[in-house]
Amino acid sequence: MPGITRKRTRIQAENENRIVSTSLDVFSSYGYRGSTVDQIAEAAGMSKANVLYYFKSKNDIYLAVLEDTLENWLNPLTELDAEGDPLLEIQTYIHAKLKLSRTSPAASRLFANEILQGAPMIGPYLKTDLKEMVDGKIAILKKWMQQGEIKTFEPIHLLFMIWSTTQHYADFAIQIAALDSSPKTKLHKDAEMFIDTVLLEGLKGPNYSGAFGQQ
């Protein structure tokens, strides 16, 4: 990607990061097709020519934003530890996803828009890198099931449920605000408590001997 592989000065790196971070709001608000380099330049407080110095096209900017978004959103899943307390590991992952929904809602909306459009930019990634990582985490969940630490079920649906539940707070923020006037911090704390009670308590297997519920 332009500006990523070449050696950069501190100023160049800062400008590229600024373009990527401000472009996130533009793309999440207007989608790829509805966004323009002029909008991105205005959001970044830079000239269009300066933006195109760092990234050759809108497509290159979009790819850089998606790359940054995927890295931030998938990091919590990579940290699921097979040797950890199963319920606490899953709880940590859920809470991390809820925090991202609160602090980076635009990133979730951008990803959702890309998927709704048929994943034209990240389709190959979903079938390769993401699939490989998810398969690894499913293996961990199956191990916990075999040990009786969590109940037995088709593990991919747990990930689907976590993703849909936590990212709902970002993707449908306007609807949530209309239905619940709680401050965001309280809203998400209440969501954590609800998911802990309903989902994690329901996952507890017959041989679970960890610390969940004893904090």
Side-chain angles (χ1 to χ4, degrees):
M1 259 179 287
I4 300 299
T5 57
R6 70 174 184 268
K7 185 176 181 180
R8 303 173 296 169
T9 66
R10 179 180 60 82
I11 296 299
Q12 287 174 328
E14 288 177 354
N15 284 339
E16 287 172 5
N17 290 335
R18 188 165 88 189
I19 293 168
V20 169
S21 63
T22 55
S23 296
L24 172 59
D25 287 329
V26 175
F27 285 126
S28 67
S29 297
Y30 303 103
Y32 175 77
R33 293 181 181 178
S35 300
T36 66
V37 177
D38 288 311
Q39 290 172 317
I40 292 167
E42 182 178 358
M46 302 167 70
S47 69
K48 180 177 180 179
N50 203 13
V51 169
L52 293 176
Y53 167 78
Y54 293 102
F55 297 92
K56 291 181 180 178
S57 65
K58 180 178 76 170
N59 185 73
D60 286 337
I61 301 171
Y62 184 66
L63 285 173
V65 173
L66 277 176
E67 180 183 274
D68 187 64
T69 297
L70 285 169
E71 180 179 353
N72 291 333
W73 275 82
L74 293 175
N75 269 343
L77 183 57
T78 65
E79 295 174 3
L80 194 72
D81 184 3
E83 303 306 316
D85 180 320
L87 293 187
L88 293 183
E89 287 293 320
I90 296 171
Q91 180 187 51
T92 297
Y93 176 54
I94 291 171
H95 289 193
K97 289 286 290 178
L98 278 171
K99 182 178 180 181
L100 282 169
S101 288
R102 184 180 76 248
T103 60
S104 303
S108 181
R109 290 193 290 268
L110 176 72
F111 184 76
N113 285 334
E114 169 69 10
I115 297 299
L116 288 172
Q117 294 300 316
M121 299 295 184
I122 63 169
Y125 171 84
L126 297 179
K127 297 175 182 177
T128 54
D129 296 46
L130 180 61
K131 179 70 164 58
E132 181 180 349
M133 182 177 68
V134 167
D135 285 347
K137 301 310 173 182
I138 284 176
I140 293 174
L141 293 173
K142 286 183 175 179
K143 171 193 168 186
W144 290 337
M145 291 176 196
Q146 291 168 357
Q147 295 171 339
E149 295 279 3
I150 61 176
K151 290 178 180 174
T152 301
F153 51 88
E154 192 58 44
I156 189 64
H157 294 290
L158 174 61
L159 295 181
F160 290 161
M161 177 176 283
I162 292 172
W163 295 344
S164 61
T165 301
T166 57
Q167 289 177 226
H168 179 87
Y169 291 93
D171 300 343
F172 291 85
I174 293 177
Q175 175 181 274
I176 289 172
L179 300 176
D180 190 319
S181 59
S182 302
K184 277 188 178 181
T185 51
K186 182 179 185 303
L187 176 72
H188 284 261
K189 180 57 66 176
D190 289 346
E192 285 182 357
M193 293 176 62
F194 176 78
I195 295 172
D196 286 354
T197 301
V198 174
L199 179 57
L200 292 173
E201 286 290 351
L203 286 175
K204 191 178 294 184
N207 298 333
Y208 178 71
S209 58
F212 177 76
Q214 301 174 22
Q215 303 100 306

